[in-house]
Amino acid sequence: MPETIRAAIVQAKPVYYNLAGTLEKAQDLLSDAASKGAQLVTFGETWFPGYPSWLDYCPEMGLWDHEPTKEVYARLVENSITVPGPEIEQLAQQAQQLSVVLVLGINEKVANGPGNGTLYNTLITIDANGDVVNRHRKLMPTHTERLVWGIGDTDGLEAVDTAVGRVSGLVCWEHWMPLARQVVHDSNEQIHIAVWPTVHEMHQVASRHYAFEGRTFVLAAGGILAAAELPSELKLAPEITPQTLVQKGGSAIIAPDGSYLAGPVYDEEVILTADLDLRHITKERMALDVTGHYSRRELFTFGVQS
């Protein structure tokens, strides 16, 4: 494992609720990131096939038995990803060809068995050899997200070994769940993926705090989306114009001391890169290590229900 690796965040618009188009664009962007020397690449929250921003910007969506909302939800389900599935297989093959570790934010669809048809807000980690090495489903969808996604579990709530080191990830407001943070810290993470719809000010605070607390590098990945790309079946709130960015990016790469290595970048599509010196983690843990000498485990009892 190298001491220094190059990481990249893809901050770009998906082809909204069009899985085939989104997959094709993702493959082009992944190749572009690899051409810039990236050994680790991440996409933002539910980039495949797009974060459901209409939950926040289309006020009629919450009406009971609302036919336009049901139509939009059906399209989301039809364009979501199964794990395993053909889209994951194609991306895994490309990751192997490019020798890149790939972290994907997806709308995950359960196709068979218990929960048939349920969607989850999921992070998938693919190693540089093409193996899917982790799947984490968001523990608790936030507010209106509960109309769309099911409740996750503790499977995948950990860092895993990859070609670039131990990689972990949490989704959005999980970064304000202290016990979830501690579970992941305890798994000896080195590079943490933090995905958000937009990494606005408080999300920057949470991402930088996570890096400082966990003594880990953080890739805070935000999305870009204009209101015009939201489903036409749903009416926008009066103050929103088609040109309004309902996701504004804000992606940033953060060091284990909480400082910025790259970004944040708002309001544009970009592939953001930075070189991560993994020895920086050890240096910062001299003063604070919440999984080791600073943890006082003899005073606290902590466990996880499987």
Side-chain angles (χ1 to χ4, degrees):
M1 183 183 71
E3 285 190 350
T4 300
I5 68 103
R6 178 161 294 178
I9 299 172
V10 174
Q11 179 172 289
K13 299 175 182 178
V15 183
Y16 200 69
Y17 286 18
N18 179 325
L19 182 54
T22 296
L23 176 62
E24 182 178 357
K25 183 171 183 177
Q27 291 175 310
D28 290 342
L29 290 165
L30 180 55
S31 294
D32 193 5
S35 73
K36 299 177 187 298
Q39 300 157 276
L40 168 67
V41 180
T42 186
F43 289 75
E45 183 173 0
T46 60
W47 199 82
F48 297 84
Y51 179 82
S53 294
W54 47 270
L55 292 170
D56 296 318
Y57 293 95
C58 301
E60 291 183 348
M61 65 81 204
L63 296 175
W64 175 255
D65 202 28
H66 189 233
E67 184 61 31
T69 302
K70 292 192 292 183
E71 175 60 36
V72 169
Y73 177 77
R75 193 187 318 150
L76 171 57
V77 172
E78 291 161 2
N79 285 276
S80 291
I81 290 180
T82 58
V83 183
E87 295 81 18
I88 293 295
E89 183 176 340
Q90 289 182 56
L91 289 163
Q93 289 175 352
Q94 187 180 11
Q96 182 179 27
Q97 292 166 359
L98 297 172
S99 297
V100 165
V101 176
L102 180 58
V103 182
L104 308 171
I106 69 171
N107 286 277
E108 181 196 358
K109 175 173 56 179
V110 176
N112 296 296
N116 184 22
T118 296
L119 295 182
Y120 293 96
N121 182 335
T122 298
L123 278 178
I124 297 291
T125 303
I126 299 171
D127 204 353
N129 63 3
D131 289 343
V132 176
V133 292
N134 205 5
R135 173 175 60 185
H136 167 59
R137 293 168 170 170
K138 187 176 182 181
L139 295 171
M140 179 57 66
T142 304
H143 201 47
T144 51
E145 290 177 353
R146 298 178 199 183
L147 294 172
V148 174
W149 294 316
I151 294 172
D153 52 41
T154 57
D155 289 348
L157 194 64
E158 62 180 348
V160 293
D161 288 319
T162 75
V164 297
R166 290 187 60 78
V167 175
S168 64
L170 291 174
V171 180
C172 199
W173 279 37
E174 289 183 322
H175 292 89
W176 283 298
M177 298 177 74
L179 302 184
R181 294 202 312 267
Q182 188 61 47
V183 170
V184 183
H185 292 332
D186 281 343
S187 67
N188 192 28
E189 59 193 334
Q190 293 175 294
I191 303 169
H192 179 81
I193 310 300
V195 293
W196 309 87
T198 296
V199 197
H200 60 57
E201 181 183 5
M202 284 307 298
H203 297 166
Q204 297 288 341
V205 170
S207 300
R208 296 182 70 187
H209 173 267
Y210 191 96
F212 186 91
E213 176 183 77
R215 296 322 210 193
T216 180
F217 290 95
V218 170
L219 275 61
I224 290 284
L225 192 72
E229 295 166 276
L230 294 176
S232 59
E233 294 93 339
L234 299 174
K235 296 180 181 178
L236 294 171
E239 67 275 14
I240 304 299
T241 69
Q243 292 73 38
T244 300
L245 285 179
V246 296
Q247 291 181 251
K248 299 181 180 181
S251 295
I253 300 176
I254 304 163
D257 60 1
S259 63
Y260 286 115
L261 296 175
V265 177
Y266 289 93
D267 301 338
E268 63 178 287
E269 294 188 285
V270 66
I271 296 177
L272 192 66
T273 64
D275 292 330
L276 315 183
D277 178 0
L278 300 183
R279 293 184 72 250
H280 196 172
I281 297 169
T282 304
K283 292 178 182 179
E284 295 306 322
R285 285 182 178 174
M286 180 178 179
L288 174 66
D289 179 1
V290 297
T291 71
H293 63 80
Y294 218 88
S295 64
R296 298 301 308 272
R297 290 185 179 275
E298 77 278 13
L299 302 181
F300 302 103
T301 300
F302 181 60
V304 181
Q305 298 295 326
S306 60

